[in-house]
Amino acid sequence: MAAAAAAIYFFQKSNTPSALTEQPPPPSSTSEWTQSESGNPTQIYKGKRITVFEADNGWKYCIAHPEDRREPYFSEAYGTPDIAQSEAIRHMERLP
């Protein structure tokens, strides 16, 4: 019986609003961004080139290996270039 009560206590504690919202802060999306030849924000992050560009009535990001000809990854459109930059870093870090 005591084990069941302890399990319920720990379950409730882990499902508190503060526990559900505690996540590590996303990596800074503003550091090390430069301009590409086309004037778009770009950077090399963990060996991949991330480029943010205007498309589809918003801003998308593209992740590609700088020396590889394989098809790059293109994101959905975001409202601002800052959001697209942040989401690109979150994607690279595999954050929700």
Side-chain angles (χ1 to χ4, degrees):
M1 184 72 155
I8 290 171
Y9 170 78
F10 286 115
F11 176 78
Q12 288 174 339
K13 182 146 178 84
S14 68
N15 284 326
T16 61
S18 64
L20 294 175
T21 58
E22 286 179 25
Q23 294 179 357
S28 172
S29 62
T30 58
S31 63
E32 300 182 34
W33 288 93
T34 60
Q35 277 193 336
S36 70
E37 291 178 12
S38 304
N40 295 315
T42 189
Q43 75 167 285
I44 302 295
Y45 188 84
K46 294 190 173 185
K48 304 279 177 127
R49 183 181 53 246
I50 303 171
T51 304
V52 172
F53 58 96
E54 199 168 6
D56 298 336
N57 295 320
W59 292 84
K60 292 184 171 189
Y61 62 84
C62 171
I63 299 174
H65 192 285
E67 296 152 11
D68 194 343
R69 292 278 190 198
R70 285 184 280 182
E71 186 70 24
Y73 174 81
F74 291 93
S75 73
E76 62 184 77
Y78 295 95
T80 68
D82 291 337
I83 294 171
Q85 288 173 326
S86 178
E87 290 301 315
I89 300 298
R90 293 179 72 80
H91 178 92
M92 292 291 294
E93 293 293 330
R94 293 186 164 84
L95 295 172

